[in-house]
Amino acid sequence: IPPTTAHAGSAATAIGQGWLIASMDNREAPYDVWVTPYDGTSSQPRGAQRISQTSRVETALALSRLNSGDKALVAYADEDLSAGQGVYVRALDASGKPTSDAVRIEASSALYYTNLSLKPLGESGAGLAYVRYSLDYKTSDIVFVALDATGKPTREPWVLAGNAGPKGPSRTPLMGW
């Protein structure tokens, strides 16, 4: 990531002998997600990988190494005034390079997604939790999705709480930062 990049969100995970740092480049729209590997010995960054490259605006992200130790998953939410919102997961190797296309976990024209959390689950999977809400908070859910090593859901999502309340984001979606 260029040293002048400002970040709206970031996440880090230890992997192998180093680290992966995920960040959203918010210099100008679209706000792409990048993953940069850092060498654990020298603390030097290696070549950054662009994880998303669309006209959509990424708004939240999470990153986690899998328990196998050699893979990671990155999750991100995005918004688009004309196309709606979504949550995506992408599998990465230990150097941060994508190993597959992004998997769409959920998409909606009426719901927004925030507060993503991603943690290893079992030997080669992960658990993704996030808040989905409507602007009037008639929908305000905490959702959990079990994922395999490629980021694909292993079952239907669970709604952990259907009344998460209006404590979601502290901003108006997309243009009202």
Side-chain angles (χ1 to χ4, degrees):
I1 296 175
T4 58
T5 301
H7 304 290
S10 60
T13 190
I15 190 163
Q17 298 299 312
W19 290 85
L20 294 178
I21 310 291
S23 60
M24 289 185 290
D25 179 350
N26 67 358
R27 290 175 287 178
E28 59 183 57
Y31 306 125
D32 293 327
V33 174
W34 290 80
V35 172
T36 304
Y38 282 81
D39 181 90
T41 305
S42 69
S43 298
Q44 294 298 309
R46 303 293 180 226
Q49 300 290 322
R50 180 177 272 163
I51 302 304
S52 63
Q53 190 171 7
T54 68
S55 62
R56 302 171 71 83
V57 177
E58 285 77 10
T59 58
L61 70 104
L63 175 69
S64 181
R65 174 190 54 83
L66 302 181
N67 282 332
S68 62
D70 60 347
K71 296 178 183 125
L73 293 176
V74 62
Y76 57 93
D78 65 16
E79 301 175 2
D80 185 299
L81 287 175
S82 61
Q85 298 68 237
V87 176
Y88 301 84
V89 174
R90 196 150 188 201
L92 310 172
D93 67 15
S95 70
K97 291 181 182 172
T99 59
S100 63
D101 291 335
V103 176
R104 184 173 63 193
I105 303 301
E106 184 173 351
S108 174
S109 61
L111 299 176
Y112 293 82
Y113 307 95
T114 190
N115 298 342
L116 278 63
S117 179
L118 189 61
K119 300 293 180 194
L121 185 64
E123 178 59 29
S124 61
L128 171 65
Y130 57 91
V131 173
R132 69 176 173 205
Y133 66 97
S134 59
L135 292 179
D136 62 5
Y137 291 100
K138 289 182 180 175
T139 299
S140 185
D141 301 330
I142 299 172
V143 180
F144 174 81
V145 182
L147 305 168
D148 68 15
T150 67
K152 293 179 182 169
T154 60
R155 52 155 290 143
E156 290 297 313
W158 285 320
V159 175
L160 301 178
N163 57 351
K167 297 283 186 191
S170 58
R171 62 171 181 79
T172 304
L174 201 57
M175 298 301 179
W177 307 104

